Amino acid sequence: MPEGGFAAWSRDRLAVARRGAEECGDVWQLEPGVYVAAAAGPCEEVLRNAEEFPKAPSPLFPPLKRSSGAPTREERARAHAARMRGLRAHAVAARIGEIAPSAARFADQWPTGEDVEILPLVRQALADIGVHYLFSEDAPTLLPFASQLFLAREVLVRPSRWIVPRWIPTPARRFRTRQQVAFTNALRPVVRRRRSSGRLGDDLLGQMLRPTSRYGLLSEEAILDTLPGITVATFETPSRAAGWILLYLARHPRAADRVSAEAALLPADPAATTNTHLDSLQYTQALIREVLRLHPPSWLLTRRATRQTQLGGYTIDAGSTVLVCPYTAHRDAREHSEPDRFEPERWLDDSGSPAKPGAFLSFGTGPHGCEGVALAMAMLTLLTAQTARRYHFSEPSGPEPSFQVTTFEGLTTAGLRLRATVRS
């Protein structure tokens, strides 16, 4: 345990995480029953072993209480499989022409010549893209409810001095339930209309409405219960990532120029953008991966040991918490040369392949890895390319920082302000 222990952790979790990795090794103990996996190998081992280290069963939007009962575990698993039909890489690739126009619109509407707080703007743009990807023509109806779901999430995860049992109906939890009910009530007639008309749609909801030869139709409740979480996830984590990416475009103008040059080859009509165009943005994607290596939005992942096991020389007792730390794993010199250096080029050769175990954990890995990684990368790539194509970015001048780093729930550039000037 590094000096200061849990009290120091509470004050500056990033600094203690780095110090713990440097002083204590690949796995270290934060306090009795709490361990930190700080290097690529242990992180990969924990995340891939979902039986010994399962994800805590505490969904942000748990199934609503109904007289008919919540969907069974089997129904939830089937709903997840149906959802994945619309989120796999080939499904995202087929819809790039729908994502690109919204990214271009966001860039076109950026206020120029003034310091602007960017996260609300980015979040709204990514919500437009994400909700449209899920619900197509029904997105305008559902977008306001999705925004309220995000607000409920923000209220629920705010830091608190007190740990309140999950069964206690706090004001934040009651607010969450109200917004979840409102979203479900807005979505239910959409589901029923599509089913009754037979026009299921080609979006993610349409994929979930299609019967399979093995299981037939998903129940309406299984569909409704699985969608609030993924709706918020399509834009919440990517928004945090986009804040870091745009900050790096401001701080590294040569890299931004290279992204701009690459983006100049995109079609003049964004709707004509295809997955081939997306694949051609190799440096842009390398820049995004490098930013997310240095600042993974989900920088700390919680797992709980189901039985006594060994990890990094420690005996981990059943019930112990293991904090998986991509932030320190990504800054390990054994995995990345000059790990604190911003170097997008490291991802353009085979040695920096994100497929290398433990080399890139910003989207997690294993059974509980981010299911929307293909969609998130497409959204971030097109948003980055279109904004860099049009603007130079700079941080505000003056003694005050342009943002604060927050680490609770995710690594975020809270309050980030940037100024955009049109490229000549």
Side-chain angles (χ1 to χ4, degrees):
M1 182 185 301
E3 184 179 354
F6 194 77
W9 175 265
S10 300
R11 290 193 302 272
D12 190 343
R13 299 200 292 172
L14 291 180
V16 174
R18 294 206 66 176
R19 195 162 69 248
E22 293 166 0
E23 297 176 2
C24 305
D26 294 353
V27 177
W28 53 277
Q29 189 175 32
L30 177 61
E31 63 175 2
V34 180
Y35 301 86
V36 179
C43 287
E44 184 90 7
E45 182 179 345
V46 170
L47 293 177
R48 290 199 175 277
N49 191 345
E51 288 189 6
E52 290 189 6
F53 299 102
K55 188 176 181 181
S58 56
L60 186 64
F61 297 102
L64 295 170
K65 294 181 180 179
R66 300 186 179 93
S67 59
S68 59
T72 65
R73 178 179 297 182
E74 181 183 358
E75 287 177 314
R76 289 197 295 271
R78 286 169 50 201
H80 176 267
R83 196 168 68 222
M84 285 305 300
R85 290 199 296 266
L87 289 171
R88 291 193 176 94
H90 67 85
V92 174
R95 299 183 62 191
I96 295 300
E98 298 176 44
I99 297 172
S102 294
R105 261 194 314 276
F106 165 76
D108 286 338
Q109 296 170 1
W110 188 291
T112 58
E114 57 182 300
D115 298 335
V116 177
E117 186 174 349
I118 70 164
L119 287 187
L121 299 178
V122 168
R123 189 180 302 119
Q124 184 60 49
L126 292 177
D128 287 341
I129 296 171
V131 175
H132 178 83
Y133 187 88
L134 300 182
F135 305 113
S136 291
E137 70 274 6
D138 294 302
T141 299
L142 296 169
L143 184 58
F145 297 97
S147 298
Q148 288 298 106
L149 282 178
F150 171 80
L151 181 59
R153 180 206 180 283
E154 290 295 282
V155 170
L156 197 65
V157 301
R158 283 175 185 163
S160 172
R161 293 179 58 191
W162 313 107
I163 299 176
V164 182
R166 288 198 295 270
W167 54 267
I168 294 179
T170 63
R173 289 168 184 164
R174 291 199 299 271
F175 179 68
R176 182 265 312 275
T177 299
R178 289 197 300 272
Q179 302 314 315
Q180 191 174 348
V181 168
F183 177 83
T184 299
N185 287 344
L187 182 57
R188 189 184 302 277
V190 173
V191 170
R192 292 179 176 177
R193 171 175 50 78
R194 291 196 189 190
R195 277 188 164 165
S196 64
S197 69
R199 296 191 294 272
L200 302 182
D202 295 325
D203 50 19
L204 183 136
L205 177 59
Q207 295 294 336
M208 297 188 72
L209 293 173
R210 283 174 169 73
T212 65
S213 57
R214 184 174 181 181
Y215 297 112
L217 288 172
L218 271 175
S219 72
E220 183 176 286
E221 302 307 331
I223 292 172
L224 294 173
D225 278 335
T226 194
L227 284 170
I230 192 63
T231 298
V232 173
T234 58
F235 61 90
E236 189 270 333
T237 301
S239 296
R240 283 189 265 131
W244 289 107
I245 292 164
L246 293 170
L247 175 65
Y248 270 73
L249 291 181
R251 292 184 171 180
H252 298 270
R254 288 186 180 179
D257 290 345
R258 189 166 173 181
V259 172
S260 177
E262 207 172 55
L265 301 178
L266 291 173
D269 177 8
T273 307
T274 67
N275 194 55
T276 300
H277 295 113
L278 190 70
D279 287 343
S280 71
L281 299 173
Q282 293 186 12
Y283 183 80
T284 304
Q285 294 190 44
L287 179 140
I288 291 169
R289 289 193 181 279
E290 181 69 346
V291 173
L292 298 188
R293 179 186 71 83
L294 291 167
H295 304 284
S298 298
W299 74 281
L300 199 66
L301 309 170
T302 303
R303 298 293 186 264
R304 191 172 298 276
T306 57
R307 65 179 182 84
Q308 189 180 86
T309 187
Q310 298 292 313
L311 183 69
Y314 280 92
T315 297
I316 308 294
D317 290 329
S320 295
T321 296
V322 178
L323 303 175
V324 176
C325 190
Y327 181 81
T328 53
H330 287 172
R331 292 170 183 263
D332 188 339
R334 294 168 297 182
E335 303 295 333
H336 303 283
S337 62
E338 298 184 85
D340 289 318
R341 178 184 173 88
F342 173 68
E343 188 179 352
E345 291 78 7
R346 75 174 78 235
W347 299 104
L348 296 177
D349 58 49
D350 291 339
S351 64
S353 170
K356 181 182 176 184
F360 188 75
L361 297 170
S362 291
F363 295 105
T365 191
H368 297 295
C370 175
E371 60 190 74
V373 57
L375 177 60
M377 280 300 295
M379 294 164 70
L380 291 172
T381 300
L382 290 167
L383 196 80
T384 302
Q386 293 289 3
T387 50
R389 180 183 191 177
R390 290 163 172 77
Y391 307 113
H392 296 283
F393 290 101
S394 60
E395 293 181 84
S397 57
E400 296 298 320
S402 62
F403 65 97
Q404 290 185 325
V405 176
T406 60
T407 59
F408 193 81
E409 281 296 307
L411 194 55
T412 307
T413 53
L416 175 63
R417 291 173 294 122
L418 293 176
R419 178 174 294 224
T421 55
V422 177
R423 286 182 179 271
S424 56

